[in-house]
Amino acid sequence: MSDWHTIPNASDHLKWYQNKGQMELNFFLSIIFIGMVLNGYDGSLVSGLQASEAWQADLDYPDGVRLGLLNAVGNIAGLVVGPLITYIDETHGRRWGIRFYGVTILIGSVIGTIAGVSGASGYGLFVAGRAIIGLGLASFLMTSLIVVQEITHPRNRETVAASWNSYYILGSVIAAWVNFGCVGYITTSWSWRIPYIIQVPFALYILIAVQFVPETPRFLLAKGREEEAFAFLVKYHGNGDVQDPLVLFEFEEIKRTIREEQAAKAQKWSRILRSRSNRHRLGLAALMTFCTNMSGSSIIYFYYTTVFNLVGITGAATQTGISAGLSVFTWFCQIGAVYTGKFVGRRKIVLWVWPALLVSLVGLAVAGAEFAKAEDGNKSAGIATVALVWIYLGSFNFSNPVIYSYPAEVQTFSMRSKGLLVWNTVSQLTGAYVVWVDAIALNAIGWKYYIVYMPLVIIQWILVYFFMVETKGYTLEEIAIAFDGKNRSDFDVSILPAVEQYNGQADDAKDGDDGGDRDAK
C-alpha cells in the first residue's frame, strides 16, 4: 500500500473558505445527504402515524397482515427495481437513480396524502403510494452509496461515507418532532396529512439540484472520458491546480485500476463469481444488511407503538414524545461513531455493539414478561422497556456508519454496482420479511418475539468476527489489497512514478488554451 497520506495536496494548507473546489464538492454531497434526510423522514413517519386515531380511521384500522403489508410493500417494490438501477448506473451514469428518487417521492407523497378523502380508498391509496416511494428509495440508496464513495476527496472519504446514514437519523428526528406536534395535538385528518405532504418540497429540491451534480471520475474513466475525469479531480480535489501531487497520484491509481479490471473483464458476473475474494466481497455486502435487518431493530423502528403498548405505555403524545427524544439521542450516537471509526476502524465497532444488542433484547423480553404476568401491570417494566429501547437503538446506531458504508467501500469499481445489487436484494427481501412478520408476530405472541432475534444476533457476531475485513487507512482502489494481499501488486502504486509521469503532461495542460491537449494514454 502506498503512503498516500503524505502526498501534498491543496486541502492541506488552505482554509476551508479558500478551497473553492472542496466547497463546491461539499454542495454536491449535501444534495445526497438531503436525500438521506428525506429517506429518514419518510422511513420514520409511518411508525409515528400509527399513533394517530385519524390515520387509523382513514385507513380502516390496519393491523396484523394488513399493517405488515403496508410497511413491507416498499421493500417489495425496491426488490423489483434493483436490477434495472444496476444496469442504468453502470451504463448511463450514477445520477439517474437519484433523479428517479425525486420523482417517486413526489408522486408517492401526493398519492398517500389523498388517501381516505371522500370517495377514495384510504388503505389502497396509501399502500400504492408506499410502493411508488419504495421504487425510488431503493434506486437512491444503491446510487448514493456509490456516488459518496466515488466523488469524495480521499483525505475525508472515510468520514464522509461513514456519516451518510447519520442524515437518515436527522430525518427521523424531524419526523419524530413533526409527529409529536401534529399527531399528538391535532385530532383531524390533518394530523397525519401535514407530516406526509412535507415530503413534497424536499423531493422537488432533490429533483432540481441533482442536475448540477457531475458524474463521478471513476465512471468517466471507465467510459474513456479521461479529460473530464482529470478535470474533475483537478477542480474538486486539487482546487484547480493541475500539478497537485495528490490529484496526479489519484488519477493514475484510478486509471490503472480501471484499465486492469476492464482488461480482465472484471465486470462480468462469470468473472466475479469465479474469484474467491470477489465472492467474499459480495458475501460481506449481504452480511451487513443481514446484520441491519435481522437483529431486531425493525421491531422498534416500525412498531415502537406496539412495543410501548405491550408494557402499558399508551397515548399518542407520550409515545411520539419518547420517539422524538430517542431520535435525537441516536443521531448523536451516529456522529460519535463516525469520529470513533477514524481511530478504531470498522470491524471493532461492530464486534463491540452486537453484545449490547443481545443484552438489550434479553432485557426487553424480561420486562415484557414481568408486565404480562402482573394483574394490574408493572410500572417498573414500562420504565425498563423505555431505557432498554434507548440502549438498544443507541448501540445499534453506533454501528450504522460502518454497516451502511462498508458494502460499497469493499467492492472493486467494476463490481460496485453489482455488489450494491446484492446488498439491495438481500436488504429488500429481509426488510420485507421482518416488517411484515414483525407485525403479525407481535400481535400473536407479544414480548416472546424478542427471543427469536437473540440467536440471530449471536450468529451475526460470529460471522463478523471470522469474515469481516478491516479497511481503515486504504484508498478506495487500495482496499483490494486487504482482500487479495500482495498478489495484487499492481495496486501497490509508488508515488513518484505517478507524479513524475503527469508533471510534464500537467505543464502542457497548463499552457494550453482550454486546459491542454493532454494525452493520458
Side-chain angles (χ1 to χ4, degrees):
M1 183 176 67
S2 62
D3 190 14
W4 63 272
H5 300 84
T6 63
I7 305 176
N9 179 245
S11 63
D12 299 334
H13 59 83
L14 292 175
K15 301 290 186 182
W16 66 269
Y17 55 83
Q18 295 174 320
N19 196 338
K20 296 181 179 179
Q22 184 66 53
M23 290 176 64
E24 192 170 346
L25 182 61
N26 289 341
F27 166 70
F28 299 146
L29 289 168
S30 74
I31 297 167
I32 292 172
F33 293 148
I34 289 174
M36 279 303 292
V37 169
L38 180 55
N39 175 21
Y41 181 88
D42 176 77
S44 304
L45 201 58
V46 176
S47 60
L49 296 183
Q50 293 173 42
S52 167
E53 177 63 28
W55 182 85
Q56 296 282 356
D58 287 336
L59 271 68
D60 193 24
Y61 299 94
D63 62 357
V65 174
R66 294 175 74 239
L67 181 59
L69 176 61
L70 184 150
N71 281 315
V73 70
N75 297 99
I76 297 170
L79 178 65
V80 173
V81 81
L84 175 61
I85 293 302
T86 297
Y87 171 79
I88 291 173
D89 280 348
E90 291 183 339
T91 308
H92 300 292
R94 311 304 207 188
R95 293 177 295 181
W96 284 100
I98 301 174
R99 290 189 181 108
F100 185 55
Y101 175 60
V103 172
T104 55
I105 284 282
L106 188 61
I107 296 173
S109 296
V110 171
I111 291 176
T113 301
I114 64 174
V117 299
S118 180
S121 169
Y123 180 80
L125 279 176
F126 199 84
V127 169
R130 299 307 302 167
I132 293 171
I133 290 173
L135 290 171
L137 177 58
S139 305
F140 174 77
L141 294 178
M142 292 174 65
T143 304
S144 64
L145 278 168
I146 294 172
V147 172
V148 167
Q149 292 284 353
E150 291 187 353
I151 72 171
T152 310
H153 193 288
R155 288 279 198 262
N156 53 26
R157 180 190 61 81
E158 294 182 1
T159 300
V160 171
S163 69
W164 177 83
N165 192 65
S166 68
Y167 293 92
Y168 178 97
I169 302 302
L170 186 57
S172 72
V173 169
I174 298 172
W177 286 105
V178 169
N179 275 334
F180 176 68
C182 293
V183 175
Y185 296 97
I186 300 176
T187 57
T188 67
S189 291
W190 288 109
S191 65
W192 69 267
R193 296 189 198 278
I194 290 174
Y196 216 68
I197 203 69
I198 284 175
Q199 298 183 124
V200 170
F202 282 94
L204 284 171
Y205 172 78
I206 292 168
L207 193 56
I208 295 169
V210 72
Q211 310 306 321
F212 300 97
V213 178
E215 278 299 344
T216 76
R218 289 166 174 87
F219 177 82
L220 293 172
L221 278 168
K223 296 302 180 182
R225 295 155 64 179
E226 295 184 359
E227 294 290 336
E228 294 177 62
F230 184 73
F232 177 101
L233 295 173
V234 167
K235 183 175 182 179
Y236 301 117
H237 293 187
N239 199 42
D241 183 2
V242 294
Q243 297 189 68
D244 185 276
L246 183 58
V247 166
L248 299 174
F249 167 76
E250 189 182 9
F251 179 74
E252 175 67 6
E253 184 180 55
I254 296 171
K255 187 179 73 169
R256 287 181 60 183
T257 300
I258 291 175
R259 278 186 176 179
E260 287 156 4
E261 290 180 12
Q262 289 177 334
K265 301 186 185 305
Q267 75 279 7
K268 294 183 176 296
W269 276 111
S270 58
R271 295 300 298 265
I272 291 172
L273 297 177
R274 193 181 306 167
S275 166
R276 181 178 179 180
S277 60
N278 286 344
R279 294 196 300 271
H280 190 180
R281 292 180 175 94
L282 296 178
L284 286 172
L287 175 59
M288 291 301 101
T289 196
F290 175 53
C291 291
T292 305
N293 291 338
M294 302 296 289
S295 57
S297 61
S298 56
I299 298 176
I300 302 171
Y301 272 125
F302 288 95
Y303 304 109
Y304 74 83
T305 55
T306 304
V307 170
F308 291 146
N309 287 337
L310 288 173
V311 290
I313 300 174
T314 58
T318 301
Q319 291 181 347
T320 55
I322 293 172
S323 176
L326 181 58
S327 296
V328 175
F329 172 66
T330 55
W331 185 70
F332 280 113
C333 290
Q334 287 221 14
I335 296 300
V338 168
Y339 289 97
T340 302
K342 294 169 63 176
F343 304 100
V344 304
R346 285 85 159 129
R347 185 172 173 272
K348 285 184 180 178
I349 287 180
V350 181
L351 291 175
W352 291 345
V353 164
W354 251 240
L357 301 188
L358 179 62
V359 172
S360 300
L361 288 171
V362 171
L364 285 168
V366 171
E370 288 297 316
F371 184 87
K373 73 180 183 181
E375 292 184 3
D376 298 324
N378 186 323
K379 185 176 180 180
S380 297
I383 295 172
T385 295
V386 173
L388 287 164
V389 165
W390 280 57
I391 293 170
Y392 179 96
L393 283 188
S395 301
F396 180 73
N397 278 274
F398 195 81
S399 71
N400 279 2
V402 173
I403 289 176
Y404 283 100
S405 65
Y406 193 78
E409 180 182 64
V410 298
Q411 313 301 324
T412 65
F413 171 81
S414 296
M415 61 180 293
R416 188 160 291 126
S417 292
K418 293 182 174 66
L420 267 295
L421 174 61
V422 170
W423 174 83
N424 179 70
T425 301
V426 177
S427 178
Q428 302 300 348
L429 284 172
T430 55
Y433 171 80
V434 295
V435 297
W436 200 340
V437 172
D438 285 355
I440 300 170
L442 286 170
N443 189 50
I445 61 176
W447 63 267
K448 299 181 182 70
Y449 189 52
Y450 297 124
I451 300 173
V452 173
Y453 284 103
M454 295 177 192
L456 294 178
V457 168
I458 295 172
I459 292 170
Q460 289 159 8
W461 188 92
I462 294 171
L463 292 174
V464 167
Y465 182 83
F466 285 104
F467 295 105
M468 190 171 179
V469 176
E470 183 56 64
T471 57
K472 176 178 174 288
Y474 291 94
T475 68
L476 196 56
E477 278 63 44
E478 290 171 347
I479 287 174
I481 298 173
F483 285 85
D484 301 310
K486 290 301 180 181
N487 291 329
R488 290 296 295 270
S489 59
D490 48 297
F491 284 93
D492 194 11
V493 185
S494 63
I495 300 171
L496 286 178
V499 176
E500 290 172 354
Q501 178 178 352
Y502 284 93
N503 269 341
Q505 295 172 347
D507 288 336
D508 293 340
K510 198 170 184 180
D511 293 336
D513 292 335
D514 58 353
D517 183 15
R518 184 176 45 81
D519 182 8
K521 299 181 180 180

